[in-house]
Amino acid sequence: MRGALRGLPILAGLLMLSGCDAVLFDPKGPIGESEKSLILTATYLMLVVVIPVIFMTLWFAWRYRDTKQSKATYTPNWAHSTKIEIVVWGIPCMIILALGILTWKSTHELDPRAEIVDGGEPIEVQVVSMDWKWLFIYPEQGIATVNELAMPVDRQVRFHITSDTVMNSFFVPQLGSQIYAMAGMENRLHLIGSEVGTYDGISASYSGAGFADMHFKAHVMSEGDFDAWIEKARGSSKVLDDAGFAALQEPSEDVAPTFYGQVKPNLYEQIMAPYMDGMELGMSDDQMRHMKKGGMHHDSAEHGMSDHDASGHAESAMATEE
């Protein structure tokens, strides 16, 4: 009976884990594949230390236990072993060095702002996090959706991501790369889906009462189906103009997917403008780099802003130009 009771916590843990869906280890795009490989490689490297430590902890406890049958040598004055020092310090240092090189290399290879090689001509999608829903604007197609995203298979999408409210986090786990959405700033992310299907998109950063229902479906579909999806959106009578956006800004929870057949031009820039503090949109990459190197303080002083504000505005301006 006692043995059965002791097993209850383990059983409860297994039942809870059975509800977990390890989507990060079932990627559907090259970015997700690379991130999965990075996670596994880093884990294997760390296990090189963890597994021997677990084994030696059990072995030492058994070998040096207090018993008359113990055959361990009793050396109360032992103080130093060069061989042990080399193993204890050498192996972890080599692992840290390997992890450092791996992290540096992967950080550059998985730069979310960089286009995906062989990803085709990017499709532009502007993403706005709101209370508590996701707005997707397709500027080239002139449509918008709420809580539904579509993209052609094997073709990269360039996301321009901002927020109209508090900070959120845009994340489609099976496609890869979580990235923050912040008001007055723009993050950029390139993703590609290599397999037709529907994948969950979430906000990975708590943002208030409606956070639990702030999710969407990302549909990866064939080119033909994507064109049909665009036409379906264009057939909607809803218009995302100033009045429509003002209505959308009202906090709401568990919002059903909604299509807008027409979108006011430059609505995305208009959403960011109140946070720009008078700065002009349209800053180039060279201007951004100059601002970071030395012009930031000058420009900040002119506009009466902090460095933090200036950096954020510059990010927005740089990406808006594209």
Side-chain angles (χ1 to χ4, degrees), residues 37-112:
S37 176
L38 176 61
I39 292 171
L40 291 178
T41 303
T43 302
Y44 295 149
L45 282 172
M46 289 184 282
L47 287 178
V48 170
V49 170
V50 172
I51 291 177
V53 166
I54 292 175
F55 172 77
M56 286 189 292
T57 300
L58 298 174
W59 186 72
F60 287 158
W62 178 84
R63 179 172 175 78
Y64 296 99
R65 67 193 185 283
D66 185 13
T67 175
K68 294 180 180 178
Q69 289 75 34
S70 176
K71 297 180 181 178
T73 304
Y74 180 62
T75 54
N77 297 320
W78 180 89
H80 177 77
S81 169
T82 301
K83 293 180 180 177
I84 291 177
E85 293 289 339
I86 290 174
V87 172
V88 168
W89 289 103
I91 294 178
C93 286
M94 292 175 63
I95 292 175
I96 291 171
L97 178 63
L99 283 173
I101 294 173
L102 179 67
T103 302
W104 183 86
K105 189 169 180 288
S106 300
T107 299
H108 287 81
E109 289 178 346
L110 296 174
D111 181 0

Side-chain angles (χ1 to χ4, degrees), residues 14 24 32 41 86 107 150 168 210 259 279 282 286 301 308 311 317 321:
L14 291 175
L24 289 177
T41 303
I86 290 174
T107 299
N168 274 290
F259 292 83
M279 286 191 70
D286 287 340
H308 173 76
S311 177
E321 181 199 48

Side-chain angles (χ1 to χ4, degrees), residues 15-28 171 173-174 198-200 202 217:
L15 287 174
M16 286 189 288
L17 288 174
S18 67
C20 298
D21 187 8
V23 292
L24 289 177
F25 296 100
D26 185 25
K28 302 298 181 185
F171 193 21
Q174 286 184 279
T198 299
Y199 310 113
D200 291 325
I202 61 174
K217 294 296 183 184

Side-chain angles (χ1 to χ4, degrees), residues 236-275:
S236 171
S237 60
K238 288 182 175 292
V239 177
L240 192 59
D241 51 13
D242 289 336
F245 184 71
L248 203 57
Q249 285 180 302
E250 293 296 324
S252 54
E253 301 179 24
D254 196 18
V255 180
T258 308
F259 292 83
Y260 292 88
Q262 295 180 50
V263 180
K264 178 184 178 182
N266 300 320
L267 176 62
Y268 181 78
E269 289 76 11
Q270 180 180 319
I271 293 170
M272 290 202 302
Y275 304 97

Side-chain angles (χ1 to χ4, degrees), residues 152-284:
V153 67
D154 292 331
R155 185 174 173 188
Q156 66 179 309
V157 178
R158 179 188 291 137
F159 294 99
H160 302 258
I161 303 169
T162 190
S163 173
D164 188 52
T165 176
V166 299
M167 184 174 74
N168 274 290
S169 179
F170 178 81
F171 193 21
V172 184
Q174 286 184 279
L175 300 185
S177 291
Q178 166 264 331
I179 199 164
Y180 287 108
M182 294 169 280
M185 300 179 69
E186 180 178 276
N187 264 330
R188 231 180 298 164
L189 173 67
H190 291 79
L191 291 179
I192 187 169
S194 56
E195 186 175 319
V196 172
T198 299
Y199 310 113
D200 291 325
I202 61 174
S203 171
S205 178
Y206 180 72
S207 57
F211 162 75
D213 293 317
M214 191 175 173
H215 45 70
F216 62 92
K217 294 296 183 184
H219 302 284
V220 177
M221 51 184 65
S222 65
E223 286 280 356
D225 288 343
F226 178 71
D227 292 340
W229 184 85
I230 293 294
E231 290 305 316
K232 175 186 173 183
R234 284 175 176 158
S236 171
S237 60
K238 288 182 175 292
V239 177
L240 192 59
D241 51 13
D242 289 336
F245 184 71
L248 203 57
Q249 285 180 302
E250 293 296 324
S252 54
E253 301 179 24
D254 196 18
V255 180
T258 308
F259 292 83
Y260 292 88
Q262 295 180 50
V263 180
K264 178 184 178 182
N266 300 320
L267 176 62
Y268 181 78
E269 289 76 11
Q270 180 180 319
I271 293 170
M272 290 202 302
Y275 304 97
M276 300 297 288
D277 199 20
M279 286 191 70
E280 294 292 334
L281 300 177
M283 187 176 290
S284 68

Side-chain angles (χ1 to χ4, degrees), residues 290-311:
H290 170 71
M291 189 174 185
K292 284 184 174 179
K293 288 179 179 177
M296 177 186 293
H297 301 291
H298 172 71
D299 291 342
S300 298
E302 282 187 350
H303 292 278
M305 297 181 299
S306 66
D307 289 354
H308 173 76
D309 291 336
S311 177

